[in-house]
Every structure is written in structure tokens, then in C-alpha cells.
Amino acid sequence: MLTMSVEERRRRLARRHGLAAGARADSVAEAVASLVVFHATDPATVYLSALARCPGAKLADVSAALYDERTLVKMIAMRRTMFVVPTAFAPVVHSAAGLAIADRLRRQLVQQLSTLPTEPAVEGDVAAWLADVEASTERAVDARGEALATELAKAEPRLRTAVLPTTDKKWDVKQNITSRVLTLMGADGRVVRGRPAGTWLSRQHRWASVRGLWPDGIPAVPEQSAREALARRWLEVFGPATVTDLQWWTGWTLGATRAVLARLDTVEVDLDGAPGIVLASDVDHEPDDGGEPPVVTLLPALDPTPMGWQQRDWYLGPHRAELFDRNGNIGPTVWWEGRIVGGWGMCAGEIVWELLEDAGAEAVAAVESAAAQLHGRLESASVVPSFRTPLELRLTSAT
């Protein structure tokens, strides 16, 4: 059986994820494509992940790729998570993961509208009623090109239909279905997320017509072919890995994951005693660094590299408790030689950091330089992650 050491996996990670000196991207779109997708639950992640891998990029370049050039698009996909996806690859991701999520969201909403009290009351065929609301909303988005949810709710008043509370629990409150319908339509490929309502850090966004990307709607890709393409691309970037890693990343069932892998040409590999897989075309051993100088990289919370595997000890080491929140979201991290050695945050507009292990004087100097460079590229913005982790909280609360 093929064997790959932790050191070799780290070299692969650094080179394939744009964390090595000779592996940087020339454009924002190239940076995203090199990682398959970028996490976009936190708007700042997209920008900081791109800057980390594309030395020549500015914040405006990320916005341009998303909203002017349209080489990238935001969409709900794996694990019901928001991602930024290369537009050319979006139909694959949509078919492989998005459509199943849309189906689940629609069934859940129909079930609630059928069984819970609403204002105004939804009567008759609830599924048909919801389909008509979606169609009307899609026409409103197409007519405007881009609009806020509040603007769409004025155009289609049924979006303001509210599900009423049935208990006295604090969390059980009156809720309009506006965001749920639009999220469902996004997962279904009928609308996409557009420009933020404020700055690049804003969590409020507009909804945009898919016609600006695909005049005839998002192209259809057979689900089986899409899943094979997505798994193959993931293995090219994140392999070698375990079956569990791929299952977790895609959100598929174990059976579905194994069925997809059975149709790919893979070989088994020993990953430091754990069984893994790698594409048969990717079994060559990664050459050593050949004297290439190591590089420090500051990655943001929810960056696609640390969030690419479920089994993370080979690059995370003993630092999980400090760098993850209780829900499994990773905070800002400091990388050196293909592994995590610390974390960082922003306090009073300045980047603050801490190494969680002794990486040596060269690493310390490199972190100081990388932090100074990133600070200048943020153009006076101060970034606070949506999900706070123990180390980031400790660093940013220091006086």
C-alpha cells in the first residue's frame, strides 16, 4: 500500500493551497478555483482568503470578481453552507449539492406552513401557493436585476407572510418567511446573492437575477456526473484524505460518498496509520522543498484550507481547543510550513497574534512581516469574525 507521511501531506497542502512561496495565485478567481470553493458564511472570509493567496490583489479586486466580472458567484451548497464558487464550476456544485438542499428546505417550509398558524392564513394547496410565491419573486428579481429582501417583499407581499408562535418559549416568535423563501430560491439556483448593502464587511446583501450569469438559467448537470466531478476536484486539492473527510466536506451520506468514489479511479494510501484514498493519477510523491524558503500565512476564520478536512490533527496539532468554537468553526490562524502554529485577531485596528508552539525565530520574524503587510492591505478596516474562538477572543480583549 502507498504510504504518505505527515510531512509530505503538509508540503502538498502548502503548495496546492497557495501557502508556499512559489504557489501564489495571479488573480482572485484563480485563488478561489485553486481551493475548489471559498467559504462565505462570514463575508470577510472571502476577501481575506483571497488576499492570503494572491499577493497582488486588493479588496476592490475581490468585489470586482464577484459583482463586475462575475467570474465568481455566491451560492448555498455543501452542508447548507454559503460558498463563493467559480462561475464556470457553479453548475457542478449546484447539481452535486445545492439542489438536494433546496428540496429539503422546500419540504420543511411547506410542512410548517401546512401545520403552524400563519398571518395571513395560507389555505388550500400550500406547495402550489409557495411555488407561485417563488415564481412571482423570481420575476421581481429579474425585473430589477438586483434588490434587497425588503424591496422584494414590497413587490411580492406574500413574502411577508409570518409563521406565528405556538408556545411561550423565548425563541418561538413571529417570523416572516422572506429570508427562508429567498434562501430556498438561492439553493434552487433561481436567484443569487448580489452586492452587499454596505461595505465589503456587511452581512446584509442584495439578491440578484441569475440571468446576468446564465441568460437561460443555471445549466443543468446530471447529478451523478456532478458528484463525480466535485469529488474528483476535491481530491485533486485536498487529497490524499479519508473517506470520512470527503463525506463531511460534501455533506453526503456515507453510502452516497462511497458510491461516488467507486466510480473514480482511486488507490488506497496509508496516512500515518489511517486508511486514506488518493486519485490514481496523483500518487507521485511530493518532492521536498529543495531549499525553498518557508512562508508565513495569516488565514481568516472559516478559511477553506483548515475547513477542508474533518480529521485535522496532521496540520492542527494540539491547538483545537484554542482555535475552534463549540460548533466546529475555526478562527483566524497562523500557518508555517504547512501546519498551524498560532492564531491572530484585530484589536483597536491593529493585528495581534500569538504562536501556540515554538516555531523558531525565523517564524516569529515572518509573522511580524506578514501581519504588517496584511494590515496595510486592509485599508483601515477592522475585521471581527462572526464566530469567536478562545484565542481570538483572548487576543482582542487584551488591553
Side-chain angles (χ1 to χ4, degrees), residues 167-173:
T167 71
D168 58 0
K169 303 294 184 182
K170 290 183 178 180
W171 51 263
D172 191 6
V173 297

Side-chain angles (χ1 to χ4, degrees), residues 31 56 70 104 186 203 215 237 249 290 292 297 313-314 359 363 372 383 388:
R70 310 299 293 273
R104 184 162 63 249
R203 291 176 172 82
V237 176
W249 188 85
E292 186 177 87
T297 308
D313 289 347
W314 59 276
V383 179
R388 312 299 296 275

